Amino acid sequence: MASAPTVPTPVRSEEDLNPFRIAMRQFDKAAEKLGLDQGLREILRRPHRAFIFTLPVKMDNGSIQVFEAYRVQHNSSRGPCKGGIRYHPNVSLDEVKALASWMTWKCATVNIPFGGGKGGIICDPKGLSMNELERLTRRYAYELGTFVGPDKDIPAPDVYTDAQVMAWIMDTYSMTHGGTSAPGVVTGKPIFLGGSLGRNEATARGCFFTIRAAAQLRGIQLTSARAAIQGFGNAGSICAELLAGAGVKVVAVSDSHGGIFNAAGLNISELTEHKRKSGSVRGFPGTENISSAAVLEAECDILVPAALENQITLENAARVKATIVAEAANGPTTPGADEILHKKGITVIPDILANAGGVTVSYFEWVQDLQELFWDEDDVNRRLEKVMVRSFSDVYLMTQKYQVDMRVGAYILAIDRVATATRTRGIWP
Ligand code: NAD
């Protein structure tokens, strides 16, 4: 039977920064190279379902504030949906749809048995008290209700959500499902509530393993390399620490307040302490203030965007000086910028590979919760390294086979795996 025609991706004169349309363009490019049939393309490029919630919250001053929230389940052919929850003023449904689809491709790239999901609440978490944050989170968890669960959809932390937020979600889910404890409903929990050792560092550690592999391919010695990192949160700060530990000179970093630079390299543990005390990397002794955008253009060998989407664009891609760009963030490079970086001979380790260490150890956490048997940290890190090294090599083989860059190579690998699962399960009814 003939399938519906593919909805053409809109082409605009100026660069289109809509994350979901970007995600669809990335998908289309790889699906074309793979020769995927039209029907499967139609299924896989869209989310299976998307929920929109209105969350009323009693504020500390007695007023009521109403928040809009989302959960998108992109695909579950290979296993339960998996993906973080973001609290940010710029969250939108299209952003969550893009992030959910990237989760599907990410889980398939590293071959773990999950599909893709993502959630978000439009809010400014820095302006909320802990009590307000807890009420907002619990209301959201209540609304997620039966749509999530250890065998359906398993949330995790993302930008401005953490282990405490996961603990509230786990507790709300458990209380509304018969009062039992259900640690497998979320990952990224505190260790004493069924979290996994190594999960907090996993995204950065996985990213580090891919940087090490790319450096080897490009003939770069880590001990004489320089790095610049945009974003100094969970992914960025720990990646900085791991790179510095391997002998890399981290010369520039930034956070939402701006960037800092020191050509001689930054002492990352002192910088982390400075950020913990002052709330920003700015003002770190011995550094020059630069903008967050300037960090992306710093003279360096390794650039790690670890903040938000659409940071490397048509506007600044030509000025990127690094040899390796490792996408710790999701969606930091636009398709237009991707082409420029490729032409410049820059190796871009795509987000669906570079930051997949987080979801990989989330998978380990879920496995440990279901088994009620916990591994030591060395065990977790060893297993993570194996997955990341193997996945980097799987993606590299695709780039050779199809003569494409690493993003298209990773998508081809992932789409083929999800398409095979979907085709084999069949279309119901
Ligand atoms: P986080 O909240 O811990 O940190 C975000 C950091 O980005 C903060 O330091 C913030 O100040 C900074 N930031 C915000 N706007 C900025 C700007 N304009 N310029 C520079 N810095 C800015 O979040 P995180 O968990 O580290 O996530 C960062 C990125 O990594 C996101 O794209 C996220 O989706 C991705 N990611 C995270 C994980 C994870 O396990 N944490 C896993 C996969 C992908």
Side-chain angles (χ1 to χ4, degrees):
M1 197 168 69
S3 57
T6 303
V7 180
T9 307
V11 179
R12 301 189 172 181
S13 51
E14 77 258 34
E15 194 167 30
D16 184 357
L17 298 181
N18 177 292
F20 186 57
R21 284 197 292 269
I22 288 178
M24 286 197 291
R25 277 177 69 178
Q26 292 166 334
F27 171 84
D28 288 343
K29 193 172 170 184
E32 190 61 37
K33 285 268 178 201
L34 184 62
L36 189 67
D37 78 67
Q38 208 57 31
L40 277 166
R41 273 191 218 196
E42 285 307 314
I43 300 170
L44 300 183
R45 72 202 294 271
R46 303 158 198 259
H48 168 216
R49 51 189 183 174
F51 305 98
I52 303 177
F53 306 109
T54 299
L55 310 177
V57 176
K58 252 188 239 156
M59 307 305 280
D60 291 347
N61 66 7
S63 68
I64 293 167
Q65 208 170 316
V66 175
F67 297 86
E68 183 157 307
Y70 311 105
R71 184 75 191 171
V72 173
Q73 296 172 344
H74 178 261
N75 188 285
S76 58
S77 318
R78 302 179 65 257
C81 293
K82 185 86 192 81
I85 293 172
R86 180 173 291 194
Y87 287 1
H88 197 275
N90 297 342
V91 163
S92 68
L93 182 56
D94 271 2
E95 180 187 54
V96 179
K97 279 160 71 177
L99 289 162
S101 74
W102 288 328
M103 287 306 297
T104 299
W105 310 128
K106 191 180 302 180
C107 294
T109 298
V110 292
N111 212 6
I112 57 176
F114 285 144
K118 202 84 182 190
I121 304 181
I122 305 174
C123 67
D124 176 10
K126 290 181 185 173
L128 299 176
S129 70
M130 278 300 266
N131 284 332
E132 290 166 342
L133 207 57
E134 178 173 355
R135 287 195 288 273
L136 175 64
T137 301
R138 286 189 184 275
R139 181 70 192 222
Y140 178 57
Y142 173 78
E143 295 290 348
L144 289 173
T146 53
F147 298 123
V148 295
D151 56 355
K152 292 180 188 165
D153 182 2
I154 307 144
D158 190 69
V159 174
Y160 297 144
T161 54
D162 57 14
Q164 176 61 76
V165 171
M166 295 307 115
W168 289 326
I169 295 178
M170 189 266 252
D171 184 67
T172 309
Y173 179 89
S174 301
M175 291 301 108
T176 52
H177 287 75
T180 54
S181 184
V185 69
V186 283
T187 58
K189 298 177 295 294
I191 304 296
F192 54 86
L193 289 179
S196 176
L197 292 167
R199 171 62 186 90
N200 189 47
E201 299 79 16
T203 301
R205 194 176 296 282
C207 187
F208 171 75
F209 290 140
T210 66
I211 292 171
R212 195 181 61 187
Q216 204 173 1
L217 266 185
R218 297 298 305 256
I220 294 172
Q221 291 285 341
L222 290 184
T223 45
S224 53
R226 294 157 305 166
I229 300 178
Q230 186 199 43
F232 206 69
N234 174 277
S237 69
I238 301 173
C239 193
E241 207 174 288
L242 292 168
L243 286 170
V248 175
K249 208 184 270 180
V250 180
V251 294
V253 305
S254 65
D255 61 20
S256 59
H257 301 272
I260 54 169
F261 177 80
N262 182 342
L266 305 160
N267 181 319
I268 301 301
S269 42
E270 285 176 16
L271 176 60
T272 304
E273 187 54 19
H274 170 82
K275 166 129 184 155
R276 196 186 60 77
K277 282 191 187 143
S278 71
S280 171
V281 295
R282 282 280 177 132
F284 184 55
T287 60
E288 194 185 311
N289 279 346
I290 58 172
S291 67
S292 180
V295 169
L296 302 171
E297 300 171 22
E299 289 282 354
C300 63
D301 307 286
I302 301 157
L303 172 64
V304 184
L308 295 164
E309 298 94 68
N310 295 334
Q311 298 302 306
I312 307 175
T313 64
L314 274 183
E315 199 275 313
N316 61 0
R319 297 193 297 275
V320 170
K321 300 184 185 68
T323 306
I324 296 168
V325 174
E327 295 183 334
N330 284 306
T333 312
T334 64
D338 233 356
E339 280 176 24
I340 296 173
L341 299 182
H342 187 57
K343 281 195 191 119
K344 277 167 69 90
I346 296 173
T347 298
V348 178
I349 312 169
D351 46 9
I352 59 171
L353 173 64
N355 70 36
V359 75
T360 301
V361 176
S362 274
Y363 164 56
F364 296 163
E365 179 175 332
W366 177 78
V367 167
Q368 292 169 80
D369 287 338
L370 297 188
Q371 291 181 339
E372 298 183 19
L373 179 67
F374 291 86
W375 311 338
D376 65 32
E377 193 165 351
D378 280 350
D379 205 0
V380 171
N381 291 344
R382 237 188 343 264
R383 288 172 192 260
L384 171 64
E385 181 170 11
K386 210 165 151 187
V387 169
M388 297 308 296
V389 168
R390 186 199 61 217
S391 303
F392 187 95
S393 147
D394 288 349
V395 169
Y396 182 70
L397 287 176
M398 289 295 145
T399 67
Q400 299 304 295
K401 181 172 172 190
Y402 290 89
Q403 288 300 300
V404 291
D405 62 34
M406 287 197 78
R407 187 179 320 277
V408 181
Y411 268 85
I412 289 177
L413 179 68
I415 293 171
D416 195 29
R417 284 175 173 158
V418 179
T420 302
T422 307
R423 201 184 288 117
T424 310
R425 285 176 63 149
I427 307 302
W428 188 87

